[in-house]
């Protein structure tokens, strides 16, 4: 089995393990998820107490659930949390009652346009309770009395998130973020968790230039909590000040979501639109000849909108296949294990590795012999190309690197302007560095 195919199968197996767990923005489901991910990569787990002020938000109470059901007069469970974590409105307050169907209907959520599917619904910040079920199940319920039971707790506790760091040659960081708050939804975002996990493992086997920080956190409130706790080191920001200060460690970032469906790859640009990660992703996707789409930034979606908020203004984009809400199965029970494939996750992983390989090698150089073209033959640089099928291309790459090594142009600039493959340009730069003709 090819290495990437094997990785795809392993990622799908991880998604399968995580799928049954009931996750939310807090609670034991998040901890159980991180415990499993921790079997693949070591994690530093953080617990932030309820009531902690995080930027303009407050860490909410912790929600946990043990059981929930709707039972008919014969005691038969017609809606059962044990069958799927989607069956309960996320963050439902506890309830134990008997009521007629007419009253119960106000707490039932369905998808009439897809009568066999169960929707995913939440009520994080408003006390509410409810159940989600298939429309065809609701249609089959006779009038009568129903027992309603939600065995949940909302108490002071913690918000849980985790980090994994792959040390680099420099302290400057690339953050890779995925959310861990969705219940049984395979694409959104278990596939993202799996790709992030295996990307971390792959990078750990290399010696990356940048330090890579992987963030496994609940969506929105998790990213906001992380930013609040790391503001000073993220990009030198003090949230109490009106203006950011330069000099932070985070230089680039990528949010992973919806990473396993059969759709084409989609890259959503950072708020800046011209951040280095934006240029790298465009270049890699274009050079790969894969079908892809580049989407403009919008302040809606996943946690790229938190990292790109004006006070932080980080160069963080988002990579997915079909974007959020762009496929009918989104936030429904149809986003199941059959909807994601090993091949799609392996392809997403491959693009991440290709992009970070470019990002890691993209430097600016200074020509140490800038007055006229240096004599490459005297230094044996032409001889080193002898017999290579790409000798002409490699020669042109050296000439282009020499021409644009003015301290202003990066290797990505060279590749884009020359039309040469980035790898060829990077190898040329290494050769010229060894010959002491350029320096970073």
């Amino acid at each position: 089995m090819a290495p990437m195919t094997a990785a795809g199968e392993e990622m799908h197996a991880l998604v399968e393990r995580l799928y049954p767990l009931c996750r939310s923005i807090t609670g034991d489901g998040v901890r159980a998820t991180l415990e499993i991910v921790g079997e693949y990569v070591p994690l530093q787990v953080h617990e932030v107490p309820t009531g902690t002020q995080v930027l303009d938000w407050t860490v909410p109470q912790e929600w946990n659930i043990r059981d929930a059901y709707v039972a008919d007069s014969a005691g038969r469970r017609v809606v059962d949390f044990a069958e799927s974590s989607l069956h309960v409105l996320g963050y439902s307050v506890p309830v134990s009652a008997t009521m007629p169907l007419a009253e119960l209907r106000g707490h039932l959520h369905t998808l009439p346009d897809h009568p066999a599917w169960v929707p995913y619904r939440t009520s994080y910040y408003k006390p509410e309770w409810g159940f989600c079920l298939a429309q065809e199940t609701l249609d089959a319920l006779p009038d009568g009395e129903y027992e309603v039971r939600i065995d949940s707790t909302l108490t002071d506790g913690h918000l849980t998130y985790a980090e994994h760091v792959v040390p680099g040659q420099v302290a400057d960081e690339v953050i890779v973020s995925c959310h861990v708050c969705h219940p049984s939804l395979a694409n959104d975002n278990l596939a993202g968790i799996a790709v992030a996990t295996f990307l971390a493992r792959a990078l750990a086997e290399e010696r990356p230039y940048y330090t890579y920080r992987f963030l496994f956190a609940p969506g929105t409130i998790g990213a906001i909590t992380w930013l609040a706790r790391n503001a000073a080191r993220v990009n030198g920001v003090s949230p109490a000040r009106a203006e950011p200060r330069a000099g932070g460690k985070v230089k680039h970032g990528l949010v992973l979501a919806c990473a396993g469906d059969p759709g084409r790859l989609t890259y959503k640009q950072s708020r800046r639109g011209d951040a280095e990660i934006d240029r790298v992703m465009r270049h890699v996707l274009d050079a790969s000849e894969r079908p892809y789409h580049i989407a403009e930034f919008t302040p809606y979606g996943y946690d790229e909108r938190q990292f790109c908020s004006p006070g932080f203004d980080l160069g963080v984009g988002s990579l997915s296949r079909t974007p959020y809400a762009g496929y009918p199965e989104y936030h429904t029970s149809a986003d199941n294990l059959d909807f994601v494939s090993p091949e799609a996750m392996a392809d997403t992983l491959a693009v991440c590795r290709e992009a970070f390989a470019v990002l890691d090698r993209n430097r600016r150089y200074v020509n140490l012999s800038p007055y006229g073209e240096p004599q490459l033959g005297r230094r044996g640089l032409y001889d080193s190309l002898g017999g290579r099928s790409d000798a002409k291309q490699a020669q042109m790459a050296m000439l282009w690197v020499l021409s644009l090594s003015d301290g202003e142009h990066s290797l990505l600039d060279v590749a884009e302007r020359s039309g040469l493959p980035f790898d060829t340009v990077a190898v040329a730069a290494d050769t010229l560095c060894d010959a002491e003709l350029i320096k970073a």
Side-chain angles (χ1 to χ4, degrees):
M1 185 179 291
M4 198 52 71
T5 303
E9 295 290 349
E10 289 182 79
M11 286 187 285
H12 198 274
L14 174 56
V15 170
E16 191 170 357
R17 288 186 67 189
L18 296 174
Y19 186 75
L21 299 177
C22 182
R23 280 163 293 273
S24 189
I25 57 174
T26 62
D28 292 334
V30 174
R31 296 186 186 95
T33 297
L34 296 177
E35 185 175 344
I36 291 173
V37 173
E39 296 174 18
Y40 294 78
V41 292
L43 296 178
Q44 181 179 8
V45 177
H46 303 269
E47 298 275 7
V48 184
T50 295
T52 302
Q53 187 71 27
V54 286
L55 305 181
D56 196 46
W57 295 59
T58 303
V59 173
Q61 288 190 310
E62 182 177 323
W63 182 69
N64 285 294
I65 182 168
R66 286 155 292 280
D67 193 17
Y69 60 86
V70 175
D72 62 18
S73 57
R76 180 178 64 93
R77 294 191 177 192
V78 295
V79 184
D80 192 354
F81 169 75
E83 292 181 356
S84 171
S85 59
L86 294 178
H87 276 310
V88 173
L89 177 78
Y91 254 63
S92 281
V93 298
V95 61
S96 180
T98 300
M99 62 186 66
L101 180 60
E103 181 181 348
L104 178 59
R105 281 182 181 274
H107 296 274
L108 302 181
H109 304 271
T110 65
L111 292 167
D113 291 342
H114 297 282
W117 297 355
V118 177
Y120 164 54
R121 299 288 184 266
T122 63
S123 184
Y124 294 141
Y125 301 105
K126 178 183 177 182
E128 184 58 89
W129 64 268
F131 290 87
C132 300
L133 67 161
Q135 180 67 46
E136 60 188 22
T137 300
L138 177 58
D139 291 342
L141 295 182
D143 289 334
E145 296 289 309
Y146 288 85
E147 180 189 0
V148 178
R149 171 79 168 159
I150 297 179
D151 181 12
S152 65
T153 54
L154 264 171
T155 58
D156 287 352
H158 297 83
L159 178 144
T160 309
Y161 71 88
E163 296 173 287
H164 171 77
V165 177
V166 179
Q169 299 172 43
V170 298
D172 291 343
E173 292 186 2
V174 180
I175 53 174
V176 180
S177 174
C178 59
H179 59 277
V180 296
C181 53
H182 284 19
S184 299
L185 299 173
N187 195 43
D188 181 24
N189 186 44
L190 296 181
I193 294 172
V195 170
T197 301
F198 279 76
L199 178 59
R201 290 178 63 175
L203 288 170
E205 295 174 358
E206 303 168 2
R207 188 169 179 264
Y209 177 73
Y210 288 110
T211 293
Y212 286 82
R213 184 177 298 273
F214 288 79
L215 176 62
F216 300 87
T220 305
I221 186 64
I224 286 171
T225 299
W226 185 84
L227 284 165
R229 297 182 58 163
N230 293 273
R233 53 176 295 282
V234 164
N235 66 345
V237 163
S238 171
R241 292 165 57 102
E243 297 294 333
R245 302 189 305 275
K249 289 185 177 180
V250 175
K251 305 302 179 184
H252 318 283
L254 190 65
V255 172
L256 290 172
C258 301
D261 68 82
R264 65 181 178 178
L265 284 159
T266 297
Y267 175 71
K268 177 183 173 182
Q269 298 182 121
S270 71
R271 190 178 75 101
R272 301 178 194 172
D274 61 352
E276 189 171 346
I277 189 67
D278 300 328
R279 295 185 58 210
V280 167
M281 290 303 307
R282 284 196 298 267
H283 178 81
V284 166
L285 288 169
D286 188 56
S288 73
E289 299 184 352
R290 292 175 173 90
Y292 72 92
H293 174 64
I294 301 293
E296 296 291 332
F297 175 82
T298 63
Y300 183 76
Y302 293 107
D303 285 329
E304 68 279 353
R305 69 189 197 273
Q306 311 306 334
F307 300 116
C308 292
S309 56
F312 294 104
D313 194 26
L314 297 176
V316 176
S318 177
L319 182 66
S320 61
R321 303 196 72 84
T322 307
Y324 55 86
Y327 51 98
E329 298 86 354
Y330 179 77
H331 280 192
T332 77
S333 58
D335 184 355
N336 55 33
L337 295 172
D338 294 331
F339 185 62
V340 298
S341 71
E343 294 78 13
M345 285 186 282
D347 188 50
T348 306
L349 174 62
V351 168
C352 290
R353 295 190 67 180
E354 292 165 21
F356 288 163
V358 172
L359 193 65
D360 255 16
R361 299 171 75 185
N362 190 33
R363 312 265 197 288
R364 289 176 171 80
Y365 291 85
V366 174
N367 190 330
L368 300 178
S369 182
Y371 298 103
E373 181 182 305
Q375 190 174 8
L376 300 182
R378 176 166 62 83
R379 295 171 170 85
L381 297 183
Y382 279 155
D383 293 341
S384 70
L385 304 176
R388 286 177 51 173
S389 60
D390 63 343
K392 181 66 175 177
Q393 190 178 67
Q395 177 185 332
M396 288 303 301
M398 281 194 282
L399 295 175
W400 271 108
V401 171
L402 285 167
S403 178
L404 294 180
S405 289
D406 52 9
E408 300 294 328
H409 292 86
S410 68
L411 294 187
L412 185 56
D413 291 324
V414 176
E416 290 178 344
R417 186 163 174 181
S418 67
L420 296 168
F422 182 88
D423 283 348
T424 302
V425 170
V427 169
D430 291 342
T431 301
L432 292 170
C433 272
D434 291 343
E436 298 183 346
L437 285 172
I438 63 173
K439 70 174 183 178

